[in-house]
Amino acid sequence: MGLRQLFIFKAKGFMAKSNSFKIIFFFFVVILMGNLGALVDAVLHPEIPYFDEEHLLVGISSALVIAILGLIVLFYESRLVKALEKVERTQGELEARVEERTAELSQMTRELQSEVNRRMESQLALAKAKESADVASHAKSQFLANMSHEIRTPFNGIIGMVELTLATDLTDAQRKYLELVKNSADRLLKIINNVLDFSKLEAGKFHSTPVPFNLRDLLADSLKVLIIAARDKGLKLSLQVEADVPDKLVGDGAFLEQIIVNLVDNAVKFTKQGTIEVVVARQGEAGGGEVLLHFTVADTGIGISAEKKGSIFEAFTQVDGSLTRQHGGTGLGLAICADLVKMLDGEIWLDSTPGAGTVFHFSARFKEQTVAEVAAQGVAEQPIITVDGQEVLHVLLAEDDVVNQLVVEEIMLQQGWKVTVVGNGLQALEALSKNRDIDLVLMDVQMPEMNGIEATQHIRRNELATDRHLPIIALTAHALEGDRERCLAGGMDDYVAKPLHPEHLIQTIRRRVAQIPN
């Protein structure tokens, strides 16, 4: 117990006594103090006798002072008691408040610590989830890459051998059967491409790559095959590009081509008779040298019902999903178109009346080519050197698949070119060391012992001591987003994805060989 608490306790104990006791107590205190005052005065003045009047006067004064103090105490006794009680009560309240606040602070501290622990656990869980998602995404990307390679490699052999066989003398029945095989292979390849493209879009592996292109040439090339399909069904397919639409553009022409092909292919599929019209108009200026174009693909087909319009651009959605439907497909084409249009900074929508046809609209943003870009595209290619009217070209083919070796070799031989075939990157390096007259290399990427990129890097290092640059074209089934960039970054000059089209391969070879100094 502290001094303050002890004082309050003693004071309250004294004041609790009866008034008679207090009077008697103060009477004795007065007498005691009077005698004490006289005694002190006698000690201080020994020359004066003890019972002298002066000593008596000092004692009476002391007693009187004590008596006055006693009366004051008795007068203020009740107030003092109340004050002491108030002090004690206030002290108790303060102590209670302090304890309550201390308890609250302790509770808040525990809750705060609990929240900190919860958030740390949440962050750890998020980090683990992100790590798992990254692992899953990497596994999915790797799976897509492997699937693309493993599917495209045999498909290149199938389609290539069929095309080579179709170029030979055949009976009508044989040609018909082989054309059916090729059409079925093309349909299956389209389904595979749609599935792979959708997976790439879903995984965020599709990125726009702006390059200069000629709009009218791109559209004409895109519609070549579809014109034949439309003609076989008795349909008229037309293309109209308004006069004020610029031809020299910069953007992702591959995305635009894929959108047009998907929409027109759908129009051919769902139209029994009538016309299909592709129209391109200028929607407006976008500023900064950009132009906003409006594309429409209109058909006179079966149309789309109102309830299907809202979901037609969702994945796996088909106009007719019944077991009796007449038209096949995965339901991914329009979903892919919608995503590609977004990547071209545009919008896609449709107008349709069941039984009367459908008009698909989409907008896309492109840049107009600069004068320098137009001039660069206008440089004429030099023809391949000829001797006695025969083109002189020696091609090295590095390919580990035997069927693909036969297909590509036959395509080269049909052009009258010389071909050396090897099965991996090490053999390619050996062949180059022995044959100095090789003009171009067709390099597969995935090969045993040494892959195509490693072989290309060896070739480029060996060229550092010379003034020669050997054109190397990637000829590979790796056709996912980033594969082209990886090949070019590895030192290759161009890229052709399997399954290859002979015309495209020949054009690519001619373009690269044209850059070789005579």
Side-chain angles (χ1 to χ4, degrees), residues 221-243:
D221 291 340
S222 302
L223 298 178
K224 280 181 180 178
V225 177
L226 295 169
I227 287 176
I228 297 174
R231 187 181 303 153
D232 291 342
K233 291 186 66 175
L235 304 174
K236 180 183 178 181
L237 174 58
S238 64
L239 169 64
Q240 178 183 348
V241 182
E242 300 293 343

Side-chain angles (χ1 to χ4, degrees), residues 216-274:
R216 289 167 175 79
D217 290 345
L218 182 145
L219 293 174
D221 291 340
S222 302
L223 298 178
K224 280 181 180 178
V225 177
L226 295 169
I227 287 176
I228 297 174
R231 187 181 303 153
D232 291 342
K233 291 186 66 175
L235 304 174
K236 180 183 178 181
L237 174 58
S238 64
L239 169 64
Q240 178 183 348
V241 182
E242 300 293 343
D244 62 341
V245 173
D247 191 48
K248 306 291 186 179
L249 301 175
V250 177
D252 200 315
F255 282 3
L256 176 60
E257 181 176 4
Q258 188 168 356
I259 296 167
I260 291 292
V261 168
N262 278 354
L263 293 179
V264 175
D265 184 58
N266 273 352
V268 173
K269 182 193 304 182
F270 292 104
T271 304
K272 291 183 178 180
Q273 60 183 4

Side-chain angles (χ1 to χ4, degrees), residues 140-141 144-145 148 152 192-207 255 258 336 339 343 478-483 495:
K140 182 177 180 180
S141 299
L144 286 174
S148 175
R152 290 174 184 273
I192 293 170
N193 285 337
N194 278 345
V195 172
L196 292 174
D197 287 346
F198 178 74
S199 299
K200 288 185 288 183
L201 285 166
E202 191 180 42
K205 300 295 183 181
F206 241 18
H207 302 287
F255 282 3
Q258 188 168 356
I336 293 171
D339 285 332
M343 299 179 75
H478 288 278
L480 295 182
E481 177 72 16
D483 289 333
Y495 171 95

Side-chain angles (χ1 to χ4, degrees), residues 115-146:
E115 179 67 16
V116 170
N117 293 337
R118 188 187 66 79
R119 293 197 178 188
M120 290 181 64
E121 291 174 358
S122 177
Q123 289 178 353
L124 290 174
L126 286 173
K128 289 181 180 179
K130 182 179 182 300
E131 183 179 356
S132 299
D134 290 342
V135 171
S137 177
H138 178 73
K140 182 177 180 180
S141 299
Q142 188 63 44
F143 173 76
L144 286 174
N146 292 336

Side-chain angles (χ1 to χ4, degrees), residues 293-307:
L293 300 183
H294 179 201
F295 298 80
T296 59
V297 178
D299 63 58
T300 56
I302 63 175
I304 300 173
S305 62
E307 57 269 18

Side-chain angles (χ1 to χ4, degrees), residues 12-166:
K12 289 178 65 178
F14 172 76
M15 293 175 184
K17 304 293 184 179
S18 64
N19 290 333
S20 300
F21 173 81
K22 297 173 185 175
I23 292 173
I24 294 172
F25 175 78
F26 277 112
F27 176 74
F28 280 107
V29 170
V30 169
I31 294 175
L32 179 61
M33 292 304 297
N35 289 321
L36 184 61
L39 179 61
V40 171
D41 187 65
V43 172
L44 294 175
H45 303 88
E47 70 279 2
I48 302 174
Y50 181 75
F51 294 103
D52 189 78
E53 291 180 357
E54 185 177 344
H55 294 317
L56 182 59
L57 183 60
V58 172
I60 292 173
S61 299
S62 299
L64 184 60
V65 170
I66 295 301
I68 292 172
L69 290 174
L71 292 174
I72 292 173
V73 170
L74 290 175
F75 179 77
Y76 286 102
E77 174 188 1
S78 60
R79 296 186 180 183
L80 184 58
V81 169
K82 291 180 180 179
L84 292 174
E85 290 177 348
K86 184 176 180 180
V87 169
E88 188 176 22
R89 186 169 58 253
T90 302
Q91 178 185 2
E93 291 175 355
L94 289 174
E95 290 176 351
R97 289 183 182 178
V98 169
E99 291 179 359
E100 181 181 355
R101 188 59 179 162
T102 301
E104 290 177 356
L105 291 175
S106 299
Q107 180 64 23
M108 291 177 62
T109 301
R110 288 193 296 269
E111 291 177 355
L112 181 60
Q113 185 62 44
S114 176
E115 179 67 16
V116 170
N117 293 337
R118 188 187 66 79
R119 293 197 178 188
M120 290 181 64
E121 291 174 358
S122 177
Q123 289 178 353
L124 290 174
L126 286 173
K128 289 181 180 179
K130 182 179 182 300
E131 183 179 356
S132 299
D134 290 342
V135 171
S137 177
H138 178 73
K140 182 177 180 180
S141 299
Q142 188 63 44
F143 173 76
L144 286 174
N146 292 336
M147 283 294 294
S148 175
H149 182 271
E150 296 305 318
I151 291 174
R152 290 174 184 273
T153 297
F155 251 87
N156 185 64
I158 294 171
I159 296 176
M161 293 304 294
V162 169
E163 288 182 341
L164 291 175
T165 306
L166 285 171

Side-chain angles (χ1 to χ4, degrees), residues 352-379:
S352 183
T353 302
T358 302
V359 181
F360 280 94
H361 305 258
F362 73 91
S363 59
R365 192 182 304 269
F366 301 99
K367 286 187 176 181
E368 295 193 54
Q369 292 183 26
T370 63
V371 175
E373 289 170 331
V374 173
Q377 280 193 306
V379 177

